[in-house]
Amino acid sequence: MLVRSQPDFAEILFAVNGSILPRIWRRLTVILIVAIIAVLAAQQHPGIFQRISAIPFTLIGIALSIFMSFRNDACYSRWWEGRKLWGELLIAARSFARKIADLPHEERRSMTYLLCGFTNGLAARLRRQDERATIARWVQDPIAEDDPNPTNYILHQLGRRSLALMDSGRIDAIRYSVLETELRALSVVQGGCERIATTPVPYAYSLLLHRTALVFCLTLPFALAGSLGWWALLPVLLVAYTFFGLDALGHQLEDPFRTEPNSLPVEALTRRAERDMLSLIEGEELPPEITPRNHVLM
Amino acid sequence: MLVRSQPDFAEILFAVNGSILPRIWRRLTVILIVAIIAVLAAQQHPGIFQRISAIPFTLIGIALSIFMSFRNDACYSRWWEGRKLWGELLIAARSFARKIADLPHEERRSMTYLLCGFTNGLAARLRRQDERATIARWVQDPIAEDDPNPTNYILHQLGRRSLALMDSGRIDAIRYSVLETELRALSVVQGGCERIATTPVPYAYSLLLHRTALVFCLTLPFALAGSLGWWALLPVLLVAYTFFGLDALGHQLEDPFRTEPNSLPVEALTRRAERDMLSLIEGEELPPEITPRNHVLM
Amino acid sequence: MLVRSQPDFAEILFAVNGSILPRIWRRLTVILIVAIIAVLAAQQHPGIFQRISAIPFTLIGIALSIFMSFRNDACYSRWWEGRKLWGELLIAARSFARKIADLPHEERRSMTYLLCGFTNGLAARLRRQDERATIARWVQDPIAEDDPNPTNYILHQLGRRSLALMDSGRIDAIRYSVLETELRALSVVQGGCERIATTPVPYAYSLLLHRTALVFCLTLPFALAGSLGWWALLPVLLVAYTFFGLDALGHQLEDPFRTEPNSLPVEALTRRAERDMLSLIEGEELPPEITPRNHVLM
Amino acid sequence: MLVRSQPDFAEILFAVNGSILPRIWRRLTVILIVAIIAVLAAQQHPGIFQRISAIPFTLIGIALSIFMSFRNDACYSRWWEGRKLWGELLIAARSFARKIADLPHEERRSMTYLLCGFTNGLAARLRRQDERATIARWVQDPIAEDDPNPTNYILHQLGRRSLALMDSGRIDAIRYSVLETELRALSVVQGGCERIATTPVPYAYSLLLHRTALVFCLTLPFALAGSLGWWALLPVLLVAYTFFGLDALGHQLEDPFRTEPNSLPVEALTRRAERDMLSLIEGEELPPEITPRNHVLM
Amino acid sequence: MLVRSQPDFAEILFAVNGSILPRIWRRLTVILIVAIIAVLAAQQHPGIFQRISAIPFTLIGIALSIFMSFRNDACYSRWWEGRKLWGELLIAARSFARKIADLPHEERRSMTYLLCGFTNGLAARLRRQDERATIARWVQDPIAEDDPNPTNYILHQLGRRSLALMDSGRIDAIRYSVLETELRALSVVQGGCERIATTPVPYAYSLLLHRTALVFCLTLPFALAGSLGWWALLPVLLVAYTFFGLDALGHQLEDPFRTEPNSLPVEALTRRAERDMLSLIEGEELPPEITPRNHVLM
């Protein structure tokens, strides 16, 4: 996640870091070249180009904006839902810690470690990193080699621990159900995050919009070259920048758990959850907070 | 569900697989022929066509985009809600498995098989396949011939088993209510999926948009032929591709449980749920994960 | 609800059944006559009409599309929420049946009949039919003449039965609370359906849009007649068809519990709930499923 | 709330009652006068006005429509959320009545009266009427002079009564928690209604839109007068009617608990809740239903 | 939060207080200067400027409006969600107070003080004020120096107190779970508010829109100067005012917990919660309500 203050006048015009420009400059260059060709051709054969009117392009451009706005909305919603789910994770982790506050110190510590294992495991799973190794830093218990879902296995362990506490009479059935509420909340978080990470916006949809946007930007110069001459470069580039930029940004927000500049700061959120939970266990040393590096919070 | 990485420049322009083109090329051909006729007619009788202005078409086209965007939004929401419901199913299945973790092995196994029967039955029900036969692979218990809802019957069986566990004193009433929470969640998933599968977007709505889009695309060439000549083909085809494409895609997303390329991967999700549940029962062999075939995950 | 497959090319252009045309042909005829008058007048006095430009009409038309799209969205949401509520009803009915699965046969039967009475009563209440008589088909218990809400009274009876089961010790307090969950869900369904049925979209809103759309369509011919001549009829009719059609459809979806072609199939859903519930009671004969008649499912 | 059937052709054009016209005719008159001045000026000095093109106004008008549509959406959502909350109130009241159905008659009556006091108190609080006096009609118990929230105090009393029932052993802890669910639901209703009533849409937002709409409508005549002459009055008035109308309507829906024609029928809903609750207490006389007066339901 | 009544005609045109103007006048001045230069240049070299058509700018302007409307929508949703969360806080605080109504006076008072400490601590945390000092005004208990989350620590204390009440037998497990419901609700409020305060709308998104809007407004004068002359200043300024205004307003709503004029009245809401809670403890003096100062409620 990019952490920057509101940009000032100069930054708005010239900032590159944090901008989507590095992702789309190649396409913009292609469009620029096509536009230059169009203007040169229009100067050679003005007759052909004079016939092309800008009005149908207005129609297509507006239609495209409307549909692109819809895809953008869908991608942003996924990004924001991802953030909400990690917020839920923090809430459930804090609440679980609160609900076991009267258990013996050792019990609380090992359950908190399981929670930390779950949180880190989920982060690794979503970022396609080594889930098993990440969990092993917190939980000694070995996980079966062929377990398809180690993070869920940790949650299962937490469930077993709660059941064991009840079966041994140390907590009653109501307390067990109160703890299970938080485990279910964590299950909801995992399920929701997996859903977002494994189900992209329908491919045909993205392709249709990519394609229409590209064809539109490739042909727009020919529509404007006749009447605007070299002035045509400006609106062509501005339109291409906006359409390609929103498109590329939508792609970044679509799966918000990756390590792109605009992805969610999964690592920092994991650490925050750890710190919140460990600070409630006496004698635990807190790992340092994660801070943005080069304006990017991972 | 199509599983493809972000397309590159060439793919955007020329990809056919994963595109909506195969569904709409017939309509596009009709529009192309009409457009050619319009241009030829305009060259013969330029006087008649010069009068037709593009401005009213801009108005109609933008209005159509706005309404089509609304239908698209509704269809995408149904698709995403369908995915959410299957995510809920995974969550409830995992949570149920976690909540019975201290029951005897045999009990857990047979309840897990019932859960697998429910999941597979629901998938078959939604895809209009043989619900009864699918369930029979997991549950020996015969289901009455005239039972209108075998999948719900399996859920009913799970409810009975939970009641029997309570009535026999093996779990107390609180535990029963904790288990029932998951059964209710499964009931919500079934009800939600049935709702989406049996209630299309109002037919009159789809028809109105189909009709306006078709008439619009059939008459647009006549509006542009006079002023653009052969250049008219390009915007006409681009507009038709976008409108028909979004329309066809909306239709595919409307009932997301079918076996279209952009449908939800119900089979793969079912298998994932099975694997997650069976991995928690000792001694069970896991069925293999389902992988995309020709970029399509079923 | 209209039950039709995806329309083909010819149906899109010429289908009348399932179309919104029957509701709006009178208005379309008025617009057609006005358009013909406009064209004739423009041929007589071309000077006056040449001054009228189409550009302000583009602005008004697009603004109108945006606002109409908003109203349409609101109406569709009401329709879909109504469907969701009836889905909830099915879920709650199935869950209630599951939760009483270990009660004696007679008890289950009479409670199931009460549930059927509630479902049928709600359907009658929403469709402004004879609520009291409908309920009497399932529940012998007479309802007070001045009871303002017989359907809620049936729910109240179910609550009393659950309380009586607890007070007599046949179920414990937890079971009672588990049953109450479903009764509350049914109360939510009733409250939600009543809300949609009794609270239309603000009248001033509908009136404003009706009025602007009508004035717009009545004056559009005069704006186009000057420049397009007889060709003006086509865009005028297409615009009027789209605007009036969406308007009429919105009105049909606004209160989705009536008996319009695009209303929800309340009767079929009621029957489905009945069948699902009765199939779980041994020895009950299932009423036949309701099937679409002339493509309309009631 | 205006209660009218679907308007017919003549009503659409000429209805004044139920229309937003009475609120905006003053502004429309100003615009009309400005438009007449613009046309007269254009006839005197045609040279100056010919330069003003309608195209930038199309851009501004469409942009304004998009932003106004957003504000309208927000206001309608508030209105509909308000209605949902009052629906929740009915649901919670009915459910509370159902859950105390086996208590002694006297107990039920006095708790029902407290519920009626809460409902009426909330209505008075939201409409800025005399909350304390309204409650006193149902609850004899005096409320402290400096109590900042008498309606919440009544809910507090209901909570105390429930606690007392549990502390005296007449209901057990589970029953108490089942009753508390409804009290919490009522608390949610009160909190939600207070939120809507005390937090308008950000003032700067409304001001920005008011201002842009007003400046737009004041300058539009000058843009159209040159090319349209007296015909300019029609689009100017239609645009002004739509923009000002939606603006005024949005303002009415923003705080839906006032006594404007399009406000929610808080009084009728309160009465409906009373009737539903009192009909379940034997020997209570039902107050009459509230009916629309002059098509307005209060 | 700005607390003003509906503005009248003169206020709409000339109000400065409460307007977004003070934030954007610098940018507007730059645009004005550029516009004057454009007009002067157009008068010197009319040939160059005549070629620039306004049509591509219409396309860009409308596309920009659509995307800006999306960002605005997202920012408003965050603001409204923030308000909802503080509403939830009031609801949970009132409900907690109701649920402990039968505990001894001293117990209730100290728990209420903890709740006040939580509320004030959260407000300070969100406004980046001294969280620890704010809490210390209500809670004597010292908080560890390195505690990363003092507000959550107070909630943890409340959880411990509830557990202690149960462990000592003064309330039973059900009552404990009923109290925990409210503590979880408070946890949800804290997590939600932290999410909004720490996760801005993706920076690249804001930058893209800022940039396109700025370039658009800087070049628009050149497109209009040729045809409109000095009249171009009016639409240019109106467009710039609307775009920059919405942009600046979106930025204010994005993090609604700051102390901008359009921020949420966190201080007043905190005080309202305090008053509601303290009024239920006998013998507590109520702090005065917070009233708007210069039309701004903090």
Side-chain angles (χ1 to χ4, degrees):
Chain A
M1 192 178 70
L2 276 151
V3 183
R4 301 196 70 158
S5 54
Q6 176 82 335
D8 61 19
F9 214 93
E11 270 187 326
I12 290 178
L13 286 180
F14 305 113
V16 173
N17 181 7
S19 160
I20 203 74
L21 262 183
R23 306 271 154 165
I24 58 171
W25 70 266
R26 257 174 305 228
R27 287 188 197 177
L28 285 183
T29 312
V30 172
I31 299 298
L32 180 62
I33 294 167
V34 170
I36 290 171
I37 293 170
V39 176
L40 292 175
Q43 288 175 335
Q44 301 289 76
H45 312 281
I48 303 173
F49 283 80
Q50 245 164 3
R51 298 199 70 178
I52 314 178
S53 138
I55 287 182
F57 282 86
T58 306
L59 161 60
I60 299 174
I62 295 175
L64 195 54
S65 306
I66 294 170
F67 299 133
M68 205 162 258
S69 156
F70 158 67
R71 176 168 175 270
N72 234 36
D73 199 13
C75 289
Y76 173 77
S77 297
R78 296 163 64 96
W79 179 83
W80 192 231
E81 195 195 349
R83 181 60 187 82
K84 271 189 183 165
L85 289 167
W86 275 85
E88 285 297 319
L89 197 154
L90 263 80
I91 293 163
R94 289 172 187 169
S95 295
F96 194 90
R98 187 177 62 243
K99 288 172 174 182
I100 57 169
D102 65 342
L103 293 187
H105 178 265
E106 197 48 42
E107 196 72 51
R108 273 162 58 210
R109 215 189 56 163
S110 73
M111 286 182 112
T112 302
Y113 276 33
L114 279 168
L115 276 177
C116 290
F118 172 81
T119 310
N120 281 283
L122 183 57
R125 188 177 176 83
L126 294 173
R127 293 200 156 169
R128 278 98 178 169
Q129 292 159 353
D130 190 345
E131 197 177 348
R132 225 169 283 267
T134 313
I135 292 173
R137 281 193 285 124
W138 293 94
V139 184
Q140 268 72 41
D141 232 17
I143 302 173
E145 267 305 301
D146 65 339
D147 193 308
N149 199 331
T151 299
N152 182 43
Y153 180 76
I154 296 300
L155 207 58
H156 198 74
Q157 290 302 95
L158 271 164
R160 279 200 182 182
R161 294 287 280 273
S162 308
L163 282 168
L165 282 172
M166 176 179 64
D167 291 344
S168 67
R170 276 191 288 169
I171 62 175
D172 64 7
I174 300 285
R175 279 285 301 275
Y176 162 72
S177 79
V178 169
L179 291 182
E180 245 303 329
T181 308
E182 302 308 335
L183 299 185
R184 191 180 210 284
L186 293 173
S187 221
V188 168
V189 170
Q190 182 180 358
C193 289
E194 286 175 359
R195 165 168 48 84
I196 293 175
T198 62
T199 316
V201 169
Y203 180 77
Y205 207 96
S206 300
L207 185 64
L208 185 90
L209 289 183
H210 284 319
R211 195 173 272 178
T212 311
L214 190 55
V215 174
F216 178 73
C217 289
L218 284 174
T219 50
L220 185 61
F222 296 94
L224 299 182
S227 59
L228 296 187
W230 288 108
W231 286 102
L233 296 192
L234 187 70
V236 164
L237 281 183
L238 196 55
V239 164
Y241 170 65
T242 311
F243 279 7
F244 291 165
L246 283 173
D247 206 54
L249 188 52
H251 182 64
Q252 283 201 9
L253 299 183
E254 193 177 0
D255 176 359
F257 304 118
R258 284 177 303 183
T259 49
E260 307 272 348
N262 291 295
S263 298
L264 289 173
V266 171
E267 221 170 287
L269 290 168
T270 307
R271 184 59 58 84
R272 208 183 294 164
E274 277 172 35
R275 283 166 58 85
D276 279 5
M277 284 186 285
L278 292 175
S279 72
L280 301 169
I281 311 287
E282 298 77 31
E284 287 288 332
E285 208 180 332
L286 297 191
E289 212 172 337
I290 289 177
T291 48
R293 210 182 292 173
N294 198 12
H295 291 295
V296 176
L297 193 65
M298 288 304 282
Chain B
M1 191 178 68
L2 276 151
V3 183
R4 302 196 69 159
S5 55
Q6 176 81 337
D8 62 18
F9 214 94
E11 270 187 327
I12 290 177
L13 287 179
F14 305 114
V16 173
N17 180 7
S19 159
I20 203 75
L21 263 182
R23 307 273 153 161
I24 59 171
W25 70 265
R26 257 174 305 228
R27 286 188 197 176
L28 285 184
T29 312
V30 172
I31 299 298
L32 180 62
I33 293 168
V34 170
I36 290 170
I37 294 170
V39 176
L40 292 175
Q43 287 175 336
Q44 300 290 75
H45 313 281
I48 303 174
F49 282 81
Q50 245 164 4
R51 298 199 69 179
I52 314 178
S53 137
I55 287 182
F57 283 86
T58 306
L59 161 60
I60 299 173
I62 295 176
L64 196 54
S65 307
I66 293 171
F67 300 133
M68 205 162 256
S69 156
F70 158 68
R71 177 169 175 270
N72 234 36
D73 198 13
C75 289
Y76 172 78
S77 297
R78 295 163 63 96
W79 179 84
W80 192 231
E81 195 194 349
R83 181 60 186 82
K84 271 188 182 164
L85 288 166
W86 276 85
E88 286 296 318
L89 197 153
L90 262 82
I91 293 164
R94 289 171 187 170
S95 296
F96 195 89
R98 188 177 61 243
K99 288 173 174 181
I100 57 170
D102 65 342
L103 292 187
H105 177 265
E106 197 47 42
E107 195 72 52
R108 273 162 59 211
R109 214 187 57 162
S110 74
M111 285 180 112
T112 302
Y113 276 33
L114 279 168
L115 275 177
C116 290
F118 172 82
T119 311
N120 281 283
L122 182 58
R125 187 177 175 83
L126 294 174
R127 293 201 156 168
R128 279 101 179 165
Q129 293 160 353
D130 190 344
E131 197 177 347
R132 225 169 283 266
T134 312
I135 292 174
R137 281 191 285 124
W138 293 94
V139 184
Q140 269 73 39
D141 231 16
I143 302 173
E145 268 305 301
D146 65 339
D147 193 309
N149 200 333
T151 298
N152 182 43
Y153 180 76
I154 297 300
L155 206 58
H156 198 74
Q157 291 302 95
L158 272 164
R160 279 202 182 181
R161 294 288 279 272
S162 308
L163 283 168
L165 281 172
M166 177 178 63
D167 292 342
S168 67
R170 276 191 288 168
I171 61 175
D172 64 8
I174 299 285
R175 280 286 299 276
Y176 161 72
S177 79
V178 170
L179 291 181
E180 245 303 328
T181 309
E182 302 307 334
L183 299 184
R184 192 180 209 283
L186 293 173
S187 221
V188 168
V189 169
Q190 182 179 357
C193 289
E194 286 175 0
R195 165 168 49 83
I196 293 175
T198 62
T199 318
V201 168
Y203 179 77
Y205 207 96
S206 301
L207 185 63
L208 185 89
L209 289 183
H210 285 319
R211 195 173 271 179
T212 311
L214 190 56
V215 174
F216 178 72
C217 290
L218 284 174
T219 50
L220 185 61
F222 296 94
L224 299 182
S227 58
L228 295 187
W230 288 107
W231 286 102
L233 297 192
L234 187 70
V236 163
L237 281 182
L238 196 55
V239 163
Y241 170 67
T242 311
F243 279 6
F244 291 165
L246 284 173
D247 206 54
L249 188 53
H251 183 64
Q252 282 201 10
L253 300 183
E254 193 177 359
D255 176 358
F257 304 118
R258 284 177 303 182
T259 49
E260 307 272 348
N262 291 295
S263 298
L264 289 172
V266 170
E267 220 171 287
L269 290 168
T270 307
R271 184 60 56 86
R272 207 182 296 165
E274 277 173 33
R275 284 167 56 86
D276 280 4
M277 283 186 286
L278 293 176
S279 72
L280 300 170
I281 311 287
E282 297 77 30
E284 286 289 331
E285 207 180 331
L286 297 191
E289 213 171 337
I290 290 177
T291 48
R293 210 180 292 174
N294 199 10
H295 291 295
V296 176
L297 193 65
M298 288 304 282
Chain C
M1 191 178 70
L2 276 152
V3 183
R4 301 196 71 158
S5 54
Q6 177 80 336
D8 62 19
F9 214 93
E11 268 186 329
I12 289 176
L13 287 178
F14 305 115
V16 173
N17 180 7
S19 160
I20 202 75
L21 263 182
R23 307 271 154 161
I24 58 171
W25 70 266
R26 256 174 306 227
R27 285 189 198 177
L28 285 183
T29 312
V30 171
I31 299 297
L32 180 62
I33 294 166
V34 170
I36 291 170
I37 294 170
V39 175
L40 293 175
Q43 287 176 335
Q44 300 291 75
H45 313 282
I48 303 175
F49 282 81
Q50 244 164 3
R51 299 200 67 179
I52 314 179
S53 137
I55 287 182
F57 282 86
T58 306
L59 161 61
I60 300 174
I62 294 175
L64 196 54
S65 306
I66 293 170
F67 299 134
M68 206 162 255
S69 156
F70 159 67
R71 176 168 175 269
N72 234 35
D73 198 13
C75 290
Y76 172 78
S77 298
R78 294 163 64 96
W79 179 83
W80 191 231
E81 195 194 349
R83 181 60 186 82
K84 271 189 182 164
L85 289 166
W86 275 84
E88 285 296 318
L89 197 153
L90 262 81
I91 292 164
R94 290 172 187 168
S95 296
F96 195 90
R98 188 178 61 244
K99 288 173 173 182
I100 58 171
D102 65 342
L103 293 187
H105 177 266
E106 196 48 41
E107 195 73 51
R108 274 162 57 212
R109 213 187 57 161
S110 75
M111 285 182 113
T112 302
Y113 276 34
L114 279 168
L115 275 177
C116 290
F118 173 81
T119 311
N120 281 284
L122 182 58
R125 187 176 175 83
L126 294 173
R127 293 202 156 168
R128 276 101 180 167
Q129 293 159 352
D130 190 344
E131 196 177 347
R132 224 169 285 267
T134 313
I135 292 173
R137 282 192 285 124
W138 292 94
V139 184
Q140 269 73 40
D141 230 19
I143 302 174
E145 267 307 299
D146 65 339
D147 194 309
N149 200 332
T151 299
N152 182 44
Y153 180 76
I154 297 299
L155 206 60
H156 198 75
Q157 290 302 96
L158 271 164
R160 279 201 181 181
R161 293 287 280 273
S162 308
L163 282 168
L165 282 172
M166 176 179 63
D167 291 344
S168 67
R170 277 191 287 169
I171 61 174
D172 64 7
I174 299 285
R175 281 284 302 274
Y176 161 72
S177 79
V178 170
L179 291 181
E180 245 303 327
T181 308
E182 302 307 334
L183 299 185
R184 192 180 208 282
L186 293 173
S187 220
V188 168
V189 169
Q190 181 179 359
C193 289
E194 286 175 0
R195 164 168 49 84
I196 292 174
T198 62
T199 317
V201 169
Y203 179 77
Y205 207 97
S206 302
L207 185 63
L208 185 90
L209 289 183
H210 285 319
R211 196 173 270 177
T212 311
L214 190 56
V215 174
F216 178 73
C217 290
L218 284 174
T219 51
L220 184 61
F222 296 95
L224 299 182
S227 58
L228 296 187
W230 287 108
W231 286 102
L233 296 191
L234 187 71
V236 164
L237 281 182
L238 195 56
V239 163
Y241 170 67
T242 312
F243 279 5
F244 291 166
L246 284 174
D247 206 54
L249 187 52
H251 182 64
Q252 282 201 11
L253 300 183
E254 193 176 0
D255 176 358
F257 304 117
R258 285 178 302 182
T259 48
E260 307 271 349
N262 291 295
S263 297
L264 289 173
V266 171
E267 222 171 285
L269 289 168
T270 307
R271 184 59 56 84
R272 207 181 297 165
E274 277 173 34
R275 282 166 57 86
D276 280 4
M277 284 186 285
L278 293 175
S279 73
L280 301 169
I281 310 285
E282 298 76 32
E284 286 290 330
E285 207 180 333
L286 297 191
E289 213 171 337
I290 289 177
T291 48
R293 211 181 293 173
N294 199 11
H295 292 294
V296 176
L297 193 66
M298 288 305 283
Chain D
M1 192 178 70
L2 276 151
V3 184
R4 301 195 70 157
S5 54
Q6 177 80 335
D8 62 19
F9 213 94
E11 267 186 328
I12 289 178
L13 287 180
F14 306 114
V16 172
N17 180 6
S19 160
I20 202 74
L21 263 182
R23 306 272 154 162
I24 58 171
W25 70 266
R26 257 175 304 226
R27 285 188 198 178
L28 285 183
T29 312
V30 172
I31 298 298
L32 180 62
I33 294 168
V34 170
I36 290 170
I37 294 170
V39 176
L40 292 175
Q43 288 175 335
Q44 300 288 77
H45 313 282
I48 303 175
F49 283 81
Q50 245 163 2
R51 299 200 67 178
I52 314 180
S53 137
I55 287 183
F57 282 86
T58 306
L59 161 60
I60 300 174
I62 294 175
L64 196 54
S65 306
I66 293 171
F67 300 133
M68 206 163 254
S69 157
F70 158 67
R71 177 170 175 267
N72 235 35
D73 198 13
C75 290
Y76 173 77
S77 297
R78 296 163 64 95
W79 179 83
W80 191 232
E81 195 194 349
R83 180 61 187 80
K84 271 187 182 165
L85 288 167
W86 274 83
E88 286 296 319
L89 196 153
L90 263 81
I91 293 164
R94 289 172 187 167
S95 296
F96 195 90
R98 187 176 62 244
K99 288 173 175 182
I100 58 170
D102 64 343
L103 293 187
H105 178 265
E106 196 48 40
E107 195 73 51
R108 274 163 57 213
R109 213 188 59 163
S110 73
M111 285 182 113
T112 302
Y113 275 35
L114 279 168
L115 276 175
C116 290
F118 172 82
T119 311
N120 281 282
L122 182 58
R125 187 177 175 83
L126 295 173
R127 293 201 156 169
R128 276 100 179 168
Q129 292 159 352
D130 190 343
E131 196 177 348
R132 224 169 285 267
T134 313
I135 292 173
R137 282 192 284 123
W138 293 93
V139 184
Q140 268 73 42
D141 231 18
I143 302 173
E145 267 306 299
D146 64 340
D147 193 310
N149 199 332
T151 299
N152 181 45
Y153 180 77
I154 297 300
L155 206 59
H156 198 74
Q157 290 302 94
L158 271 163
R160 279 199 181 182
R161 293 288 279 274
S162 309
L163 282 168
L165 282 172
M166 177 179 62
D167 291 344
S168 67
R170 276 191 288 169
I171 62 175
D172 63 8
I174 300 285
R175 280 287 298 277
Y176 162 71
S177 79
V178 170
L179 291 181
E180 246 302 329
T181 308
E182 302 309 333
L183 299 185
R184 193 182 208 281
L186 293 173
S187 221
V188 168
V189 169
Q190 182 179 358
C193 289
E194 286 174 0
R195 165 168 49 85
I196 293 174
T198 62
T199 317
V201 169
Y203 179 77
Y205 207 96
S206 302
L207 184 64
L208 185 89
L209 289 183
H210 284 320
R211 196 174 271 178
T212 311
L214 190 56
V215 173
F216 177 74
C217 290
L218 284 174
T219 51
L220 185 61
F222 296 94
L224 300 181
S227 58
L228 296 186
W230 287 108
W231 286 102
L233 296 191
L234 187 70
V236 163
L237 280 183
L238 195 57
V239 164
Y241 170 66
T242 311
F243 280 6
F244 291 165
L246 284 174
D247 206 55
L249 188 51
H251 183 64
Q252 283 200 10
L253 300 183
E254 192 177 0
D255 175 358
F257 304 117
R258 285 177 302 182
T259 48
E260 307 272 348
N262 291 296
S263 298
L264 289 172
V266 171
E267 221 170 285
L269 289 168
T270 307
R271 184 59 58 84
R272 208 182 295 164
E274 277 173 33
R275 283 167 56 87
D276 280 4
M277 285 185 285
L278 293 175
S279 73
L280 301 169
I281 310 287
E282 299 76 32
E284 286 290 330
E285 207 180 330
L286 297 190
E289 213 172 337
I290 290 176
T291 49
R293 210 181 292 173
N294 198 12
H295 292 294
V296 177
L297 193 65
M298 288 305 281
Chain E
M1 192 178 70
L2 276 151
V3 184
R4 301 195 71 157
S5 54
Q6 175 82 335
D8 62 19
F9 214 94
E11 268 187 327
I12 290 178
L13 287 180
F14 305 114
V16 173
N17 180 7
S19 160
I20 203 75
L21 263 182
R23 306 271 154 164
I24 58 171
W25 70 266
R26 257 175 305 227
R27 287 189 197 176
L28 285 183
T29 312
V30 172
I31 298 298
L32 180 62
I33 294 168
V34 170
I36 290 171
I37 293 170
V39 175
L40 292 175
Q43 287 176 335
Q44 300 289 76
H45 312 282
I48 303 174
F49 283 82
Q50 246 165 2
R51 298 198 69 176
I52 315 178
S53 137
I55 287 182
F57 283 86
T58 306
L59 161 60
I60 300 174
I62 294 174
L64 195 55
S65 306
I66 294 171
F67 300 132
M68 206 162 255
S69 157
F70 158 67
R71 176 168 176 269
N72 234 35
D73 199 11
C75 290
Y76 173 78
S77 297
R78 296 163 63 95
W79 179 84
W80 192 231
E81 195 194 350
R83 181 60 186 83
K84 272 189 181 165
L85 288 166
W86 276 84
E88 286 296 318
L89 197 154
L90 262 80
I91 293 164
R94 289 172 187 168
S95 295
F96 195 90
R98 187 176 63 244
K99 288 173 174 182
I100 57 170
D102 65 341
L103 293 187
H105 178 265
E106 196 49 41
E107 195 72 53
R108 274 162 58 211
R109 214 188 55 162
S110 73
M111 286 182 112
T112 301
Y113 277 33
L114 279 168
L115 275 176
C116 290
F118 172 81
T119 311
N120 281 283
L122 182 58
R125 187 177 176 84
L126 295 173
R127 293 201 156 168
R128 277 100 178 168
Q129 292 159 352
D130 190 344
E131 197 177 347
R132 224 169 283 267
T134 312
I135 293 173
R137 281 193 285 124
W138 293 94
V139 184
Q140 269 73 40
D141 232 16
I143 302 173
E145 268 305 301
D146 64 340
D147 194 309
N149 199 332
T151 299
N152 182 44
Y153 180 76
I154 296 299
L155 207 59
H156 197 74
Q157 291 302 95
L158 272 163
R160 278 199 183 182
R161 293 287 280 273
S162 309
L163 283 168
L165 282 171
M166 176 179 64
D167 291 343
S168 67
R170 275 190 290 170
I171 62 174
D172 64 8
I174 299 286
R175 280 286 301 274
Y176 161 72
S177 78
V178 170
L179 291 182
E180 245 304 328
T181 309
E182 302 308 333
L183 299 185
R184 193 182 208 281
L186 293 173
S187 220
V188 168
V189 169
Q190 183 180 357
C193 288
E194 286 176 0
R195 164 167 50 83
I196 293 175
T198 62
T199 316
V201 168
Y203 180 77
Y205 207 96
S206 301
L207 185 63
L208 186 89
L209 290 183
H210 284 319
R211 197 173 270 178
T212 311
L214 189 56
V215 173
F216 178 72
C217 289
L218 284 174
T219 51
L220 184 61
F222 296 94
L224 300 181
S227 60
L228 295 186
W230 288 107
W231 286 102
L233 297 191
L234 187 70
V236 164
L237 281 183
L238 196 56
V239 164
Y241 170 66
T242 311
F243 279 7
F244 292 164
L246 284 173
D247 206 55
L249 188 52
H251 182 63
Q252 283 201 9
L253 300 183
E254 193 177 0
D255 176 359
F257 304 118
R258 285 178 302 182
T259 49
E260 307 272 348
N262 290 295
S263 298
L264 289 172
V266 171
E267 221 171 285
L269 290 168
T270 307
R271 184 59 58 84
R272 207 183 295 164
E274 278 173 34
R275 282 166 57 88
D276 280 5
M277 284 186 285
L278 293 175
S279 72
L280 301 169
I281 311 287
E282 298 77 32
E284 287 289 330
E285 207 181 330
L286 297 190
E289 213 173 336
I290 290 176
T291 47
R293 210 181 292 172
N294 198 12
H295 292 295
V296 177
L297 193 65
M298 288 304 281

